[in-house]
């Protein structure tokens, strides 16, 4: 940051400049012929980050940096992974990390076998002081021996510590003044910080510049002029020979240190002098290369960083290794192809499985059947099939043109198929082609298996056109719409929340299945089985269930169409002619909100609005996206407040604002606290409570009867002779 002297015009750096560290490392790399360097930086430590970034930019310019990674030293990082990655690009690794992390990296390198002489590690310890982080290997723990061994593969770069008698006297004076004036005691072996000597030299340099200014008759208040006289000078200071370049930065001298395996201490083995910018070995000292090597590790291993060098191709072990790798790849490829083929064959087998196809003579109709009532059975007459035989009159919904009320009771056609009672739905369809699309939709429907979804049984497509029959699981309690309209059924909130929970579970399952979306979610498509479990029906099978024409008259069709559109989301209304096309998951969420309104008010969709508007008018207002949006009026109801909030979120005008069914399920679970999730469990609990109350009542009445009997005996003994009273009793 301070390198830009156009912004910091009077700044003179008297100690060192991190920008020169790249020159120090470059001199080392030139000395040993290293051209492939890896750099690991700790971005959570400011000093390590700035040093690392200066090295990164500088070494990239020289095209020797092949690998750079940053880590957060405060996190539990996988150090082994960083070292393994670096080993794929270089054998010389610079660790620009805090002192405690250097130890962790070196211990990991030892465990990975990277300290035997094939790798060299370097780090930076500008000042030997605990303030800058403890870079020493010894911490007094069980890993000290391993750490000392691993540090033999580490070279350290530090500022050249002055050793002249003048500096030693200066250091002793600093220790004395620190104790006397600031009550600070230097610990044993603690060096006086280089900065202190640099400050002293700075004052000395400033004094020389002021003297020059006064001798030349200059202005001593002109800081810029004085600063310029400080730059481009060299002199003998307390820290040694001081050289300030033309940019106001000191050409500092550095030392390269190596761990002596005998003493366990770092010793200076070479210097870097700023004036020559060259690596200079110390006479009588040498680097102790690990693994008994006499020289540095090669820049590139014999077999390459990945062991794939052509020089190793003749090696028998490598041939075996390549053979094994090739065999493994071929085997994996063959296994993958086999798996894909088997999966495809299984899928084709399932698609071509025609067990869903029902013959007309396999179905027995319960003519005139209305849910649970018992009527006679009648076979489908294949040759003389008619709508009357099918019982269309029982499946018809009658809506008067002048009445806005929805029908009070729905009927369905019920039959027997292979000994199982099934619900039968008729669809007007001119032609049915067995296509891959149809087979895929049928497979999706057959694969749906959940306690809150109606099971698909099969389809009869061999009847005279234009009729096909779809057979599904039979639910004897009718639909949710029927239950809501049946005043004889007491709907407490345990019952209602159980039904809501079932709807949510069924829709969450459908949205996560291959079916993906319902599209026709309405209260009449929420069926209730004999155990009062709600099941979602009429999903999927778009090819089969989309009618090609309508048998009903035009007035009836128009009215029914707008009534069914009351559950359709506003963004889908412009494109909807038949409910379910188009369909989206957020559209299903909107439909669920309308069902919530029906359950809360115990009525039909838009129960209040239908008192003064017909379905067509309601649909048109919803499609207009009014502000605020036109929605059912619920008002203050005796229901959980969170349920009303959920309902309003689900019918939001923007699909993006509506929750998913996974989110709805989580919300409903929270609302369900305090309610019984299963209706049958609630019923059994109530029956048990009733039985306990009845038992208490019987005991009480029995006790009252005993008391009356004793009173009667006492009265007889009082008014009659005892023998006569005994005969009467």
């Amino acid at each position: 940051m301070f390198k830009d002297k156009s912004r910091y015009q009077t700044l003179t750096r008297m100690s060192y400049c991190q920008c020169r560290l790249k020159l120090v490392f470059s001199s080392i790399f030139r000395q040993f012929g290293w051209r492939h360097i890896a750099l690991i930086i700790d971005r959570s430590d400011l000093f390590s980050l700035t040093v690392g970034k200066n090295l990164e930019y500088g070494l990239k310019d020289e095209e020797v940096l092949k690998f750079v990674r940053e880590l957060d030293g405060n996190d539990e990082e996988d150090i082994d992974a960083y070292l393994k990655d670096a080993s794929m690009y270089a054998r010389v690794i610079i660790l620009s990390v805090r002192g405690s992390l250097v130890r962790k990296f070196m211990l990991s390198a030892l465990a990975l076998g990277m300290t035997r002489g094939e790798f060299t590690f370097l780090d930076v310890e500008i000042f030997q002081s605990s303030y800058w982080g403890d870079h020493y290997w010894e911490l007094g723990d069980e890993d000290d021996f391993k750490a000392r061994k691993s540090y033999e593969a580490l070279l350290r770069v530090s500022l050249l510590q002055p050793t002249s008698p003048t500096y030693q006297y200066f250091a002793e004076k600093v220790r004395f003044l620190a104790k006397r004036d600031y009550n600070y005691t230097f610990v044993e072996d603690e060096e006086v910080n280089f900065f202190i000597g640099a400050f002293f030299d700075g004052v000395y340099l400033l004094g020389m510049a002021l003297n020059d200014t006064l001798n030349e008759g200059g202005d001593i208040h002109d800081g810029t002029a004085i600063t310029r006289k400080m730059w481009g000078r060299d002199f003998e200071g307390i820290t040694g020979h001081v050289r300030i370049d033309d940019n106001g930065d000191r050409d500092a001298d550095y030392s390269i240190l190596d761990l002596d395996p005998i003493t366990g201490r770092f010793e200076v083995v070479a210097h870097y002098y700023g004036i020559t910018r060259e690596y200079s070995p110390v006479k009588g000292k040498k680097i102790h290369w690990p693994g008994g090597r006499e020289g540095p590790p090669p820049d590139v291993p014999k077999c390459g960083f990945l062991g794939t060098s052509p020089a190793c191709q003749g090696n028998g072990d490598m041939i075996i290794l390549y053979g094994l790798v090739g065999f493994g790849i071929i085997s994996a490829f063959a296994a993958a192809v086999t798996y894909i083929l088997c999966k495809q064959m299984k899928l084709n087998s399932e698609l071509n499985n025609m067990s869903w196809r029902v013959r007309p003579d396999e179905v027995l109709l319960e003519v005139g059947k209305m849910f649970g009532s018992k009527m006679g059975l009648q076979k489908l007459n294949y040759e003389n099939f008619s709508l009357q035989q099918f019982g269309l009159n029982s499946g018809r919904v009658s809506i008067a043109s002048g009445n806005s009320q929805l029908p009070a009771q729905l009927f369905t056609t019920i039959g027997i198929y292979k000994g199982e009672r099934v619900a039968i739905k008729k669809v007007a369809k001119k032609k049915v082609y067995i296509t891959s699309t149809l087979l895929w939709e049928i497979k999706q429907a057959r694969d749906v298996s959940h306690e809150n979804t109606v099971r698909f049984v099969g389809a009869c497509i061999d009847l005279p056109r234009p009729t096909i029959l779809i057979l599904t699981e039979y639910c004897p309690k009718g639909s949710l719409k029927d239950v809501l309209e049946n005043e004889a059924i007491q709907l407490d909130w345990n019952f209602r929340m159980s039904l809501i929970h079932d709807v949510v579970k069924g829709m969450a399952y459908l949205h996560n299945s291959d079916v993906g979306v319902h599209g026709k979610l309405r209260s009449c498509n929420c069926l209730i089985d004999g155990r009062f479990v709600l099941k979602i029906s009429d999903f999927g099978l778009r090819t089969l269930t989309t009618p090609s024409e309508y048998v009903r008259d035009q007035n009836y069709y128009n009215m029914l169409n707008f009534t069914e559109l009351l559950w359709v989301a506003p963004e889908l209304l412009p494109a909807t002619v038949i409910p379910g096309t188009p369909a989206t998951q957020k559209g299903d969420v909107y439909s669920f909100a309308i069902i919530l309104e029906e359950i809360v008010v115990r009525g039909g969709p838009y129960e209040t609005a239908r008192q003064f508007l017909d379905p067509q008018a309601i649909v048109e207002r919803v499609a207009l996206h009014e502000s605020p949006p036109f929605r059912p009026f619920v008002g203050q109801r005796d229901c959980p407040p969170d349920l009303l909030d959920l309902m309003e979120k689900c019918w939001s005008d923007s699909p993006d604002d509506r929750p998913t069914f996974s989110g709805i399920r989580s919300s409903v679970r929270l609302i369900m606290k305090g309610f019984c999730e299963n209706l049958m469990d609630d019923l059994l609990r109530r029956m048990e409570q009733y039985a306990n109350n009845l038992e208490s009542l019987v005991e009480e009445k029995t006790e009252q009867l005993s008391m009356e009997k004793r009173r009667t005996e006492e009265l007889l003994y009082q008014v009659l002779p005892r023998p006569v009273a005994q005969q009467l009793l």
Side-chain angles (χ1 to χ4, degrees):
M1 178 175 67
F2 297 114
K3 187 177 181 180
D4 184 6
K5 294 301 176 67
S6 63
R7 297 178 59 189
Y8 306 99
Q9 299 178 7
T10 60
L11 174 64
T12 302
R13 284 191 272 209
M14 294 299 301
S15 57
Y16 77 104
C17 176
Q18 291 182 358
C19 59
R20 303 292 173 85
L21 283 172
K22 64 180 180 180
L23 302 177
V24 182
F25 279 87
S26 293
S27 70
I28 299 174
F29 301 154
R30 286 195 304 271
Q31 177 70 20
F32 300 115
W34 292 330
R35 297 288 300 170
H36 293 77
I37 312 300
L39 173 62
I40 299 176
I41 304 172
D42 179 8
R43 62 173 174 269
S44 64
D45 178 59
L46 180 60
F47 177 76
S48 301
L49 179 63
T50 55
V51 168
K53 286 300 182 182
N54 274 289
L55 289 175
E56 178 182 352
Y57 299 144
L59 297 179
K60 277 185 177 179
D61 290 341
E62 298 190 16
E63 299 181 350
V64 297
L65 192 62
K66 308 301 181 183
F67 175 89
V68 180
R69 287 291 183 276
E70 292 185 16
L71 60 86
D72 189 339
N74 296 322
D75 295 338
E76 292 295 329
E77 298 278 0
D78 186 359
I79 292 177
D80 289 359
Y82 283 96
L83 292 175
K84 290 177 182 178
D85 291 345
S87 69
M88 299 170 64
Y89 299 91
R91 289 294 182 264
V92 180
I93 302 174
I94 302 174
L95 301 176
S96 183
V97 299
R98 64 185 72 181
S100 57
L101 273 182
V102 172
R103 191 172 188 265
K104 291 182 180 179
F105 267 99
M106 296 310 298
L107 287 171
S108 294
L110 179 71
L112 294 173
M114 299 172 68
T115 59
R116 300 171 185 169
E118 294 85 7
F119 290 82
T120 295
F121 297 84
L122 298 99
D123 78 333
V124 178
E125 185 185 28
I126 296 296
F127 308 106
Q128 298 179 14
S129 170
S130 59
Y131 175 82
W132 301 94
D134 192 353
H135 286 249
Y136 201 50
W137 57 264
E138 187 175 13
L139 293 182
D141 60 16
E142 59 185 8
D143 290 326
D144 275 351
F145 178 78
K146 294 180 180 179
R148 174 173 174 170
K149 186 67 178 175
S150 67
Y151 271 54
E152 292 179 14
L154 178 69
L155 294 178
R156 176 159 290 165
V157 175
S158 296
L159 276 174
L160 176 60
Q161 190 73 12
T163 58
S164 66
T166 304
Y167 183 83
Q168 295 300 329
Y169 173 79
F170 171 78
E172 288 298 324
K173 192 72 173 177
V174 169
R175 291 187 178 94
F176 171 78
L177 294 175
K179 177 63 177 175
R180 188 192 72 182
D181 297 338
Y182 303 100
N183 196 30
Y184 177 82
T185 303
F186 283 77
V187 299
E188 184 179 359
D189 296 333
E190 182 181 2
E191 297 288 344
V192 173
N193 196 297
F194 184 88
F195 274 158
I196 299 175
F199 286 141
F200 183 93
D201 288 340
V203 175
Y204 185 71
L205 176 61
L206 177 61
M208 288 192 296
L210 286 173
N211 285 336
D212 291 347
T213 302
L214 291 172
N215 291 336
E216 296 172 3
D219 183 8
I220 62 172
H221 298 95
D222 187 351
T224 302
I226 295 173
T227 300
R228 293 298 177 267
K229 293 185 179 298
M230 296 169 64
W231 292 3
R233 303 186 67 144
D234 61 287
F235 62 97
E236 290 296 328
I238 199 70
T239 58
H241 195 80
V242 180
R243 291 172 302 279
I244 306 299
D245 65 12
D246 295 333
N247 195 46
D249 297 325
R250 179 173 180 175
D251 266 327
D253 300 328
Y254 293 84
S255 298
I256 292 86
L257 295 87
D258 171 58
L259 185 76
D260 188 328
I262 304 301
T263 64
R265 294 185 176 276
F266 279 95
E267 295 184 355
V268 177
V269 294
H271 294 302
Y272 167 86
Y273 294 110
I275 191 170
T276 62
R277 298 189 177 182
E278 292 292 336
Y279 178 96
S280 178
V282 174
K283 188 176 181 180
K285 297 288 185 178
K286 70 173 185 176
I287 297 176
H288 301 87
W289 301 105
R293 283 181 174 271
E294 292 298 325
D299 181 42
V300 179
K302 178 182 178 182
C303 295
F305 296 109
L306 301 178
T308 58
S309 174
C312 300
Q313 292 298 318
N315 191 310
D317 293 341
M318 294 303 298
I319 294 175
I320 295 174
L321 177 61
Y322 289 151
L324 292 175
V325 172
F327 177 75
I329 293 174
I330 294 173
S331 300
F333 179 75
V337 171
T338 303
Y339 172 77
I340 294 172
L341 289 177
C342 290
K343 189 174 181 180
Q344 187 63 38
M345 290 174 62
K346 181 181 179 182
L347 177 61
N348 291 336
S349 176
E350 292 177 354
L351 290 177
N352 294 322
N353 183 359
M354 304 299 288
S355 59
W356 58 269
R357 195 164 180 175
V358 179
R359 298 195 308 271
D361 56 5
E362 293 180 304
V363 182
L364 296 175
L365 294 180
E366 297 187 6
V367 181
K369 178 72 178 177
M370 186 189 75
F371 296 117
S373 61
K374 294 183 178 180
M375 301 290 288
L377 299 179
Q378 177 179 335
K379 283 189 176 183
L380 284 176
N381 188 340
Y382 181 84
E383 291 80 8
N384 189 25
F385 181 83
S386 66
L387 296 178
Q388 286 73 23
Q389 180 198 3
F390 174 76
L392 183 62
N393 58 327
S394 65
R396 189 185 198 97
V397 180
S398 177
I399 303 177
S401 59
N403 186 4
S404 65
Q405 299 295 321
L406 294 179
Q409 182 68 50
L410 290 180
F411 295 81
T412 188
T413 301
I414 302 168
I416 303 295
Y417 173 66
K418 293 185 177 181
E420 177 187 5
R421 181 168 287 170
V422 295
I424 302 176
K425 177 182 178 181
K426 176 232 176 231
V427 179
K429 197 87 172 173
K430 284 185 176 182
K431 293 181 181 180
V432 177
Y433 297 103
I434 307 298
T435 63
S436 58
T437 301
L438 174 61
L439 293 176
W440 178 249
E441 290 178 355
I442 290 175
K443 179 188 180 302
Q444 289 177 338
R446 295 179 68 186
D447 288 345
V448 171
S449 177
H450 190 269
E451 64 173 346
N452 298 115
T453 57
V454 169
R455 178 171 50 86
F456 171 74
V457 176
C460 181
I461 61 176
D462 297 322
L463 291 171
R465 303 293 179 246
T467 302
I468 65 171
L469 306 181
I470 297 176
L471 282 60
T472 58
E473 174 186 358
Y474 171 59
C475 295
K477 301 301 181 183
S479 69
L480 173 62
K481 180 180 184 302
D482 302 323
V483 170
L484 295 175
E485 293 177 350
N486 190 343
E487 297 293 340
I489 299 177
Q490 298 296 321
L491 284 182
D492 62 9
W493 273 102
N494 258 335
F495 195 166
R496 299 189 199 195
M497 288 305 301
S498 175
L499 296 176
I500 292 170
H501 196 208
D502 287 346
V503 175
V504 173
K505 288 189 294 182
M507 288 304 301
Y509 172 82
L510 281 180
H511 278 194
N512 288 320
S513 70
D514 287 337
V515 175
V517 66
H518 192 297
K520 295 173 284 186
L521 183 60
R522 302 190 294 272
S523 54
C524 58
N525 287 334
C526 299
L527 307 183
I528 300 174
D529 68 5
R531 299 181 301 112
F532 287 96
V533 174
L534 187 145
K535 296 174 178 283
I536 306 297
S537 70
D538 205 17
F539 53 83
L541 301 174
R542 181 172 300 180
T543 302
L544 276 182
T545 57
T546 302
S548 55
E549 65 179 16
Y550 294 88
V551 178
R552 304 170 178 87
D553 61 89
Q554 189 64 34
N555 291 332
Y556 169 78
Y557 162 70
N558 287 339
M559 197 63 189
L560 180 61
N561 182 42
F562 283 107
T563 300
E564 292 181 346
L565 293 181
L566 293 176
W567 286 269
V568 177
E571 71 273 7
L572 301 179
L573 282 174
T576 300
V577 176
I578 301 170
T581 305
T584 63
Q585 291 192 351
K586 290 304 180 75
D588 286 345
V589 173
Y590 178 91
S591 302
F592 168 71
I594 303 301
I595 291 176
L596 282 182
E597 179 247 349
E598 295 181 78
I599 295 175
V600 171
V601 304
R602 191 167 185 177
Y606 292 86
E607 179 69 17
T608 302
R610 283 189 293 105
Q611 304 303 318
F612 53 88
L613 293 174
D614 60 20
Q616 180 176 353
I618 294 174
V619 170
E620 290 174 350
R621 289 195 61 180
V622 172
L624 288 176
H625 296 277
E626 298 177 359
S627 182
F630 183 76
R631 295 293 185 269
F633 176 76
V634 177
Q636 297 297 324
R637 298 283 177 171
D638 181 21
C639 70
D642 292 340
L643 189 64
L644 296 179
D645 294 339
L646 177 63
M647 178 175 62
E648 292 178 357
K649 291 179 182 177
C650 291
W651 67 33
S652 296
D653 208 49
S654 172
D656 295 335
D657 294 337
R658 300 172 200 156
T660 63
F661 267 105
S662 298
I664 295 172
R665 186 172 186 177
S666 301
S667 300
V668 170
R669 281 177 178 172
L670 295 176
I671 300 173
M672 286 292 292
K673 291 181 179 179
F675 295 99
C676 184
E677 292 190 8
N678 186 280
L679 193 58
M680 292 303 295
D681 292 343
D682 182 52
L683 182 60
L684 291 173
R685 179 181 60 80
R686 294 190 182 194
M687 290 177 64
E688 182 179 0
Q689 183 179 0
Y690 176 75
N692 292 336
N693 293 339
L694 183 61
E695 184 177 350
S696 301
L697 182 62
V698 169
E699 290 179 357
E700 181 181 349
K701 295 299 182 184
T702 302
E703 180 65 24
Q704 291 178 358
L705 180 61
S706 299
M707 292 179 62
E708 290 298 327
K709 182 179 179 182
R710 287 195 295 270
R711 290 175 183 173
T712 302
E713 290 175 353
E714 293 175 358
L715 180 61
L716 287 175
Y717 283 133
Q718 290 177 3
V719 299
L720 296 175
R722 193 172 189 84
V724 176
Q726 288 177 346
Q727 291 179 359
L728 292 175
L729 293 173

